[in-house]
Amino acid sequence: MKLSLLTLLAMEALMTATLSATTLDERIDRAAAQVETKVIACRRDIHQNPELGNREFRTSKLVTDRLRELGIEMRTPIAHTGVVGILKGGKPGRVVALRADMDALPVTEQVDIPFASKARTKYNGQEVGVMHACGHDAHVAILLGVAEVLSTVRDQIPGTILFLFQPAEEGAPAGEEGGAALMVKEGALDNPKVDAVFGLHVTSRYPVGEIAYKPGAEMAAVDSFRIKVHGKQTHGAYPWLGVDPIVVASQIVLALQTIPSRQLDVSLAPSIVTVGAIHGGVRNNIIPDEVEMIGTIRSLDSKMRHQIHSRIKRTAQDIATSGGATADVSIEPGYPITYNDPKLTEQMAPTFRRLTNNVEVVNAVLGAEDFSFYQQKVPGVFFWLGTRPKNKTAEEAASNHSPLFYIDESGLLLGVRAMSHVAVDYLKK
Ligand SMILES: [Zn+2]
Ligand SMILES: [Zn+2]
């Protein structure tokens, strides 16, 4: 058999490529295994010192100190306490961003662990406990682990990796901007210009060792609404002399439930309208002047999201008119839909499957994530990392935001590997 020189050269190039690809993957896994203990220690340190949104001063310093040690270029502060680490690979290529959120919640920890949080602070004028009840401590520790892993293989990386350490995912304090929206506004994705973004969230819904994701709409858009029903105050015994806003408000509450259940195509996507508070009246025998209601809207389809907004207005106003009252409706947009770019998700699925046998494509949830603001600018994938102890069922394990939220730290290594490989595989494609 005679092979042309060109064929031989092509074969050699292919072999070298395969060889160096395997080597890079192996180097990443080896480096990840080596940082595992450090990642766990770092997570415990942050867990014991939780900070609320836009106040992540200590966490931010911990991040900048570590990135500086690793020789990673930085942009800080951004969006209050945020940090963008910039790791330039040894070869030219695209730019990929990896995100970790840094804030804790006003929750008093009840988990019995030696590094439980005892922190307390003032929140909305109230004295509260502070806890990493959403697992953002793990996200920061994982991403610092990834930064270390990738800096050890930077010579082989074809492109640039950005590490987005983001404040205030759970929302900024009243009157302040914050979170992913502010990171984007202050140019976190612009310089260098990011081509794709990835993020993960630890969860007790899935066991340790599992990665779960959903292409398309994965988490809901969240908007809040406020409805003020204006009636006319009168004696409780003579309602015909006034306009009863409590009865009108009650009709509105029930009618709002027919928007998701009767007016929208439920086969397309689920949605939720919840009235979370009603205030009106001061005394049993006085019909008040006014009732105020506040609530939340969750949707997984942007067209439906707008339909819900206009239908809430129509329902409240028309019911109020029918009772001789008026209704002012205001809707405050919150986070957009966390939308995993279907093509990018499909492209990255083999990476997930290579790392673990437990990869699941799951249903959407009606919780929300401000990671969605990055996905509005560039294609992105947000995935779940299981951290539920193996001896507990999903029903038994405390959910995120619970004072009993618990992370099985043996799941963190998979997070480091997943983020590292996802970034490098994206750049190699
Ligand atoms: Zn949360
Ligand atoms: Zn969270």
Side-chain angles (χ1 to χ4, degrees):
M1 190 167 73
K2 246 177 121 185
L3 291 171
S4 74
L5 185 63
L6 220 65
T7 320
L8 277 170
L9 280 172
M11 278 173 67
E12 200 199 80
L14 191 74
M15 275 170 69
T16 323
T18 323
L19 202 71
S20 70
T22 332
T23 318
L24 180 53
D25 284 350
E26 281 173 2
R27 280 180 76 190
I28 289 173
D29 280 336
R30 212 171 306 138
Q34 271 166 12
V35 300
E36 185 185 11
T37 327
K38 216 188 272 181
V39 169
I40 291 172
C42 174
R43 183 256 156 171
R44 292 182 179 190
D45 180 12
I46 301 170
H47 190 84
Q48 249 179 323
N49 296 282
E51 297 168 299
L52 294 181
N54 282 359
R55 303 290 182 272
E56 306 91 336
F57 305 113
R58 185 186 183 275
T59 314
S60 177
K61 183 171 183 307
L62 188 145
V63 168
T64 52
D65 285 352
R66 190 73 198 108
L67 294 183
R68 198 170 298 117
E69 272 170 36
L70 294 170
I72 292 176
E73 212 181 293
M74 271 178 280
R75 241 188 95 189
T76 188
I78 176 167
H80 298 293
T81 58
V83 185
V84 178
I86 304 157
L87 180 71
K88 292 199 178 98
K91 301 168 184 176
R94 291 184 288 180
V95 180
V96 63
L98 305 174
R99 177 271 213 159
D101 39 10
M102 307 194 289
D103 55 325
L105 286 159
V107 171
T108 306
E109 176 149 17
Q110 290 175 19
V111 186
D112 186 16
I113 42 172
F115 54 95
S117 164
K118 293 185 181 71
R120 300 193 69 78
T121 193
K122 270 255 158 77
Y123 178 73
N124 282 344
Q126 271 185 69
E127 162 94 9
V128 291
V130 189
M131 176 193 175
H132 268 292
C134 203
H136 300 179
D137 50 344
H139 301 168
V140 176
I142 287 172
L143 197 58
L144 283 174
V146 174
E148 180 163 352
V149 167
L150 295 179
S151 64
T152 64
V153 296
R154 76 197 294 171
D155 53 311
Q156 275 182 281
I157 295 175
T160 299
I161 296 165
L162 252 57
F163 304 98
L164 309 176
F165 291 92
Q166 177 213 304
E169 191 283 326
E170 305 283 0
E176 290 179 29
E177 283 185 90
L182 191 58
M183 291 283 284
V184 170
K185 192 171 155 188
E186 294 189 5
L189 301 177
D190 296 333
N191 189 24
K193 213 170 162 359
V194 170
D195 295 296
V197 62
F198 297 96
L200 62 72
H201 207 301
V202 295
T203 175
S204 49
R205 278 203 307 282
Y206 307 114
V208 152
E210 183 161 322
I211 287 175
Y213 68 92
K214 180 187 176 294
E218 184 178 52
M219 295 180 80
V222 55
D223 304 308
S224 60
F225 66 87
R226 182 179 296 272
I227 301 173
K228 268 191 189 166
V229 180
H230 306 283
K232 188 174 169 230
Q233 186 164 324
T234 186
H235 196 296
Y238 316 111
W240 56 89
L241 296 177
V243 175
D244 186 346
I246 288 187
V247 170
V248 171
S250 308
Q251 288 176 302
I252 292 173
V253 171
L254 293 178
L256 290 180
Q257 293 313 311
T258 67
I259 297 172
S261 69
R262 303 285 93 183
Q263 300 181 33
L264 298 172
D265 184 350
V266 288
S267 68
L268 193 67
S271 58
I272 298 268
V273 177
T274 292
V275 175
I278 308 181
H279 297 289
V282 288
R283 205 183 132 92
N284 71 325
N285 62 354
I286 299 174
I287 290 170
D289 232 7
E290 195 179 277
V291 170
E292 188 177 58
M293 300 184 272
I294 51 173
T296 187
I297 307 161
R298 306 293 167 122
S299 52
L300 288 161
D301 176 274
S302 53
K303 223 198 233 156
M304 277 167 109
R305 184 184 185 189
H306 297 298
Q307 285 173 338
I308 296 171
H309 292 185
S310 60
R311 279 157 198 256
I312 286 178
K313 283 182 189 152
R314 184 180 75 184
T315 303
Q317 285 161 353
D318 289 2
I319 287 177
T321 307
S322 76
T326 57
D328 294 330
V329 182
S330 60
I331 293 171
E332 183 79 25
Y335 299 169
I337 296 160
T338 303
Y339 185 83
N340 288 338
D341 182 84
K343 231 171 93 188
L344 183 65
T345 314
E346 199 182 302
Q347 214 181 80
M348 300 322 297
T351 305
F352 293 142
R353 285 198 293 268
R354 196 178 78 226
L355 300 178
T356 170
N357 292 326
N358 305 314
V359 179
E360 218 186 324
V361 176
V362 293
N363 286 336
V365 293
L366 288 148
E369 239 298 332
D370 79 350
F371 185 80
S372 49
F373 284 107
Y374 303 116
Q375 291 171 314
Q376 285 200 319
K377 292 275 280 192
V378 296
V381 176
F382 190 71
F383 59 95
W384 302 109
L385 178 72
T387 47
R388 187 180 83 221
K390 285 220 165 86
N391 61 356
K392 282 210 165 143
T393 63
E395 290 72 29
E396 285 165 352
S399 71
N400 296 55
H401 291 207
S402 155
L404 292 167
F405 179 65
Y406 175 82
I407 290 176
D408 184 334
E409 293 167 331
S410 67
L412 303 188
L413 175 59
L414 180 60
V416 174
R417 291 176 66 223
M419 287 288 249
S420 305
H421 285 290
V422 155
V424 169
D425 286 1
Y426 172 79
L427 292 175
K428 282 197 300 202
K429 270 172 192 150

